[in-house]
Amino acid sequence: MLRALRFGTGDLNPHFFIWPGTLLLYFAFASYADLFVVGPVLGWWVGKEGFAAACFSDPTAFYLLPGIESVAFGVWTVWLAWGIGRAGWGTPVGIAAALGWRSMRCARTTPISHIRATAAATAWFLDTANH
């Protein structure tokens, strides 16, 4: 969370290069930028000082946003598996591919989902590149 928020200082170098998670820092930063804009409109805070204070007083939204992005990548990956199966071999194969892919992803990522693992996004990028 803090690495992604540091991009707001103008330094877009994450100084952290491991896994494909570096790219996901930029996605998290984009969601934090959206939150920065939406927060004052909803009356959650005023100005950048209020944003920083909200980050430390109740960081729930700052942790949920990357989690929601991870869920979205997972859903898109299942949808992509369904689309590839359906386009190549028909609707029954598309459904089987989606269910099979989701079962495999669930078994592999559920035990580590609490750390906002990059597995869902990585799978989506790979499947999209191979589509």
Side-chain angles (χ1 to χ4, degrees), residues 40-121:
V41 173
L42 298 176
W44 292 346
W45 57 75
V46 177
K48 60 184 176 183
E49 294 83 12
F51 180 77
C55 174
F56 292 105
S57 66
D58 184 15
T60 303
F62 296 88
Y63 284 106
L64 282 178
L65 287 173
I68 291 168
E69 289 173 352
S70 182
V71 168
F73 277 119
V75 169
W76 289 335
T77 303
V78 171
W79 177 78
L80 188 59
W82 172 78
I84 292 170
R86 193 191 78 181
W89 299 276
T91 301
V93 173
I95 292 170
L99 292 174
W101 185 254
R102 184 61 211 139
S103 298
M104 182 183 72
R105 299 304 318 151
C106 214
R108 292 184 64 203
T109 60
T110 300
I112 57 172
S113 62
H114 66 283
I115 58 172
R116 304 293 182 252
T118 60

